[in-house]
Amino acid sequence: MLFGLPDFAAPGVAAAFVLTALRVGGLLLVAPAWSAKSVPMKLRTAVLVVFAVLLLPSALQTADRATLVITPATFLAETAIGFALGLAAALVIAGAEFAGELATNTIGLSGAAIFDPVNNTQGAILGSFMQLFALTLLLVAGGHV
């Protein structure tokens, strides 16, 4: 055990690492902050590996190492679980952004659009504010955990 990391040659540890990385990878595909075009793919890959290594000890405590096997079913299941977690957060953020856009149109501020350099589009002022506000509330409430 070097630097608190488990021995990857031990039975079941490598499979647990891959399955943990699959779940984190599914999450990073659609998570609100990490799925943006402005986040480079190398950074996402590094975050995926770091998160998988950090979550591996807790995954090993709850898993039966002898029965951990990587099959197409477990591959798809772990990716789908991570995807569902990220999609839930993305839906909350998108709902807040849509509510801000509706409020912008209702108030009459639809002519005052701001430029979004990430998506190369113009967006509603309150939509961008509500998106960032919802992301902040999600993080403060512990939604990232």
Side-chain angles (χ1 to χ4, degrees):
M1 193 169 215
L2 181 66
F3 300 114
L5 296 175
D7 181 21
F8 284 97
V13 175
F17 176 74
V18 169
L19 293 174
T20 304
L22 286 171
R23 185 174 290 192
V24 172
L27 175 79
L28 290 179
L29 281 174
V30 292
W34 297 106
S35 64
K37 294 178 188 176
S38 62
V39 180
M41 190 57 69
K42 289 181 182 180
L43 178 63
R44 286 188 221 176
T45 306
V47 167
L48 173 105
V49 171
V50 168
F51 283 173
V53 168
L54 290 176
L55 292 172
L56 185 59
S58 64
L60 288 173
Q61 286 180 353
T62 59
D64 183 16
R65 294 183 192 185
T67 61
L68 283 180
V69 179
I70 301 172
T71 63
T74 58
F75 185 94
L76 290 174
E78 292 298 321
T79 305
I81 290 170
F83 187 81
L85 291 171
L87 186 64
L91 285 175
V92 170
I93 302 297
E97 182 180 10
F98 184 67
E101 289 182 13
L102 283 178
T104 299
N105 290 335
T106 303
I107 294 172
L109 294 175
S110 58
I114 57 172
F115 181 69
D116 183 9
V118 174
N119 298 321
N120 200 18
T121 60
Q122 287 188 341
I125 294 172
L126 289 179
S128 298
F129 173 74
M130 291 296 288
Q131 178 187 19
L132 293 174
F133 186 65
L135 182 60
T136 303
L137 285 179
L138 187 70
L139 292 175
V140 168
H144 62 288
V145 179

